Amino acid sequence: MSPARPVRVRFAPSPTGPLHIGGLRTALFNWLYARHQGGRFILRLEDTDQRRLVSGSAEHIMAMLRHYGLDYDEGPDIGGAFGPYVQSERRERHVRRAGWLVQEGAAYPCYCSAERLKAVNAEKRSRGEASGYDRHCRDLSVAQRAELDAAGETPVIRFRMPLEGQTLVRDAIRGELRFDNARLQDAVLLKSDGFPTYHLAHLVDDRDMQISHVMRSSEWLPSLPLHWQLWEAFGQEKPVYVHLPVILNPNGKGKLSKRHAGFTQNGRQVLVLAQEFIDAGYLPEAVGNFLTNIGWSMPDEREFFPVEAAIEGFELSRVNPADGVFPVEKLDWLNGMWIRELSVADLAQRVRPLLLQAGLEIDDALLRKVVPLMRERMRSLHDFAAMAGFFFSDSFAGPEADAIIQRRMDAAGTLGALQAARLRLEEMERIDCAALEGDMRALAQELGIKVGQLFGSLRVAVTGQRVSPPLFETMEILGLETCLERIDLAIATLQRQA
RNA sequence: GGCCCCAUCGUCUAGUGGCCCAGGAUGUCACCCUUUCAAGGUGAAGACACGGGUUCGAGUCCCGUUGGGGCUACCA
């Protein structure tokens, strides 16, 4: 290719269902490359298999790209100079190119029925041979074709693969690849329903849209020689092919794909859909950062970095050709890191819908006070409601006596400690967390118990939880009145026990 | 079965012939900090799949074996 060729890359999903995380990764790498090169990132919908279309998935895919910050420069909903960006709307071009190939002798009509194809395959397999089409119609005479046409047979169009020699192909991250032509198939380019197959359609569109780099998952590698030969037939400048490694299941068995949605590994649900990562409380920043680290690495080996840094450093030469397992634990770590980067206002905004979803009432002033306490200890957005949800609930069911009583304490001792703490609190007008902590430390010493024992009882009494945000900050936010009420409740519980 | 791709700690990775008795990250464990949980700090354990070559020298190049993955549709 000429060095002056402007970089134009595309993400070309089929709107056949929800966007998969592997698809998102492919989109991300294309996007990073485009942004790094100052090129264009294009979205094209490949909807040529009419039977598999799922309504709403095109909109869903676009919504996901938007959510994860992968803005495209041309696409179905925003247009562009090379439209339309929906493949089915480009059908005439595909049909025209297929016709041209037939005229040039590079393709031919095939009248074989599905049944015959199946039988041929089965027979070849039973003989231990490689399966595949036997090229029955490859050399039909003009008269034979006319006869079949007259009989009302609708042919498919197949590519006329060279029968001998080798196809030498270059992949940007794997180097020179070599394929024996004799093993290659006369692939179908145009189906009998008049729609092109992926092979024809993507290539004609990439050609028309002046795509400079075809960056896709490595499962396309086996059809690369076919595509290469097709470009040869068109006599066109070829794009650079880049085959990205595949993301494998956490157990390393098979690629992470849609059909595995909903399965669990070590008691944990394995997430595979772009939407599932949102539902699980992961930030788009964290998911993007995470995905960037699979199959690619920063020049300085940093793993936690903003997307601008990834754009800056994104070189194809740093793509690792080996398939990789999805390292989920790292996503949790990154998510925590990214949560800590957020401002109070921003994190409050992101946590808000989850609180609503948990049926909690939101007091925004209160939320702004609680967020700083929680930011340091969250890995998922869901951790907020789990640990700090009690701030937003009026109904407080007092904890069990067992929970209030700390290690190496008994009911009577705990009761005494809480009563003493209550006396100190009563004297205050309001809670000041620093002052209260000093008071309570002194009290623990007076009582001859460990601070942890006193603080633990107080924590459970006031929050109803063994684990909570820092105790005295929590009490200050809850307010003196609420704290006294809850301590009284605990005292009553302990008295019943004693 | 055939064809293709791939192979460094559990996992994600650095490494492009000497800088590597292999570095980072995560996870695990221990300790420190500490009112719980986190966060943070310090430390530990942990890998070049195997066998042949090439070379003065191989994680790095070549061949084979093994293992893993992908493709093998009128799906993409």
Side-chain angles (χ1 to χ4, degrees):
Chain A
M1 67 167 245
S2 59
R5 192 171 186 188
V7 168
R8 291 176 55 81
V9 295
R10 78 323 191 255
F11 176 53
S14 289
T16 53
L19 181 63
H20 180 258
I21 197 71
L24 185 63
R25 207 277 299 253
T26 301
L28 173 67
F29 275 39
N30 275 282
W31 180 85
L32 283 170
Y33 188 67
R35 294 294 169 259
H36 175 79
Q37 294 285 343
R40 308 269 286 175
F41 175 61
I42 295 140
L43 175 67
R44 184 174 72 219
L45 262 10
E46 306 217 324
D47 60 342
T48 55
D49 187 354
Q50 298 289 300
R51 294 165 312 167
R52 294 204 312 153
L53 296 182
V54 174
S55 75
S57 48
E59 291 71 19
H60 169 262
I61 288 165
M62 294 190 269
M64 287 300 107
L65 293 178
R66 227 174 294 126
H67 177 81
Y68 286 103
L70 307 184
D71 57 310
Y72 39 92
D73 306 303
E74 300 168 30
D77 54 339
I78 57 172
F82 296 83
Y85 294 91
V86 175
Q87 202 158 54
S88 56
E89 292 169 23
R90 307 178 66 87
R91 190 152 71 110
E92 278 91 282
R93 300 164 199 251
H94 307 134
V95 173
R96 211 182 315 134
R97 293 313 290 177
W100 182 84
L101 285 169
V102 173
Q103 246 175 52
E104 294 293 307
Y108 61 90
C110 165
Y111 300 85
C112 293
S113 67
E115 295 72 46
R116 201 190 91 81
L117 262 22
K118 231 175 136 179
V120 168
N121 250 327
E123 209 237 304
K124 284 184 140 189
R125 279 298 281 273
S126 74
R127 281 206 310 262
E129 286 177 31
S131 55
Y133 177 56
D134 61 358
R135 300 186 163 115
H136 181 258
C137 299
R138 183 167 163 127
D139 298 307
L140 253 32
S141 68
V142 176
Q144 284 171 308
R145 284 177 192 168
E147 193 177 321
L148 285 157
D149 284 333
E153 300 285 339
T154 319
V156 301
I157 303 298
R158 283 182 186 272
F159 188 61
R160 189 187 297 274
M161 262 292 177
L163 262 18
E164 46 197 36
Q166 291 187 318
T167 300
L168 245 68
V169 202
R170 227 193 112 65
D171 174 84
I173 67 182
R174 281 153 231 271
E176 290 286 344
L177 269 19
R178 207 175 269 273
F179 297 86
D180 282 330
N181 293 339
R183 311 242 175 229
L184 270 19
Q185 295 290 309
D186 283 0
V188 172
L189 301 178
L190 200 66
K191 300 181 271 191
S192 55
D193 66 0
F195 279 86
T197 59
Y198 169 82
H199 304 300
L200 207 224
H202 96 276
L203 202 127
V204 167
D205 293 344
D206 284 347
R207 174 180 169 276
D208 290 348
M209 294 182 179
Q210 293 173 26
I211 298 302
S212 63
H213 295 69
V214 174
M215 209 179 298
R216 56 186 7 176
S217 162
S218 70
E219 63 210 33
W220 289 108
L221 229 29
S223 45
L224 181 53
L226 163 66
H227 301 156
W228 202 262
Q229 289 290 345
L230 258 173
W231 281 106
E232 293 280 343
F234 284 138
Q236 203 81 22
E237 181 180 16
K238 299 177 189 71
V240 174
Y241 276 92
V242 187
H243 288 89
L244 268 15
V246 167
I247 300 178
L248 306 175
N249 276 322
N251 61 6
K253 297 275 175 209
K255 63 173 175 172
L256 196 63
S257 78
K258 256 177 262 198
R259 63 177 176 274
H260 295 299
F263 89 112
T264 58
Q265 175 87 13
N266 298 330
R268 199 180 155 160
Q269 199 201 338
V270 175
L271 309 178
V272 293
L273 304 180
Q275 178 66 48
E276 289 176 327
F277 288 82
I278 301 173
D279 299 340
Y282 293 110
L283 265 33
E285 295 92 327
V287 174
N289 188 167
F290 169 70
L291 253 21
T292 308
N293 281 321
I294 308 176
W296 187 80
S297 60
M298 275 293 252
D300 61 6
E301 283 197 68
R302 246 183 314 164
E303 297 196 12
F304 171 56
F305 48 78
V307 69
E308 293 76 24
I311 291 172
E312 164 88 38
F314 197 82
E315 300 282 351
L316 255 24
S317 62
R318 299 197 63 83
V319 176
N320 181 348
D323 293 345
V325 170
F326 207 69
V328 242
E329 334 78 54
K330 236 168 186 170
L331 176 57
D332 290 330
W333 166 69
L334 280 171
N335 205 49
M337 297 292 277
W338 275 103
I339 284 174
R340 257 149 254 137
E341 289 289 303
L342 263 28
S343 68
V344 170
D346 193 350
L347 183 52
Q349 239 1 44
R350 306 214 203 193
V351 141
R352 224 173 176 282
L354 296 183
L355 290 173
L356 288 171
Q357 196 182 303
L360 298 165
E361 281 185 30
I362 298 173
D363 170 339
D364 281 302
L366 177 59
L367 183 56
R368 273 196 302 278
K369 286 189 211 164
V370 177
V371 162
L373 263 42
M374 283 300 297
R375 193 169 39 182
E376 292 298 308
R377 53 208 87 231
M378 294 169 67
R379 296 207 125 193
S380 158
L381 252 20
H382 289 297
D383 293 342
F384 191 94
M387 196 191 276
F390 67 86
F391 277 110
F392 305 90
S393 172
D394 290 331
S395 60
F396 181 77
E400 301 286 319
D402 284 352
I404 304 167
I405 301 166
Q406 300 297 294
R407 279 174 61 120
R408 285 188 286 276
M409 292 277 287
D410 57 17
T414 304
L415 180 59
L418 285 183
Q419 283 169 330
R422 208 219 123 101
L423 283 173
R424 298 286 170 101
L425 275 165
E426 279 170 12
E427 293 166 10
M428 299 180 177
E429 282 178 21
R430 46 176 284 279
I431 292 177
D432 171 87
C433 66
L436 180 61
E437 179 176 348
D439 265 17
M440 291 298 122
R441 280 184 187 280
L443 178 61
Q445 197 166 15
E446 285 166 36
L447 294 170
I449 60 175
K450 297 197 182 212
V451 290
Q453 292 174 316
L454 176 60
F455 291 9
S457 292
L458 275 173
R459 180 189 311 283
V460 175
V462 162
T463 68
Q465 302 173 176
R466 282 179 194 279
V467 174
S468 81
L471 179 58
F472 302 107
E473 281 90 338
T474 297
M475 289 177 74
E476 183 177 317
I477 293 170
L478 244 24
L480 185 57
E481 197 184 331
T482 304
C483 288
L484 288 173
E485 280 169 19
R486 293 184 177 185
I487 291 169
D488 285 340
L489 194 58
I491 287 171
T493 303
L494 288 167
Q495 280 168 335
R496 275 199 301 280
Q497 178 93 357

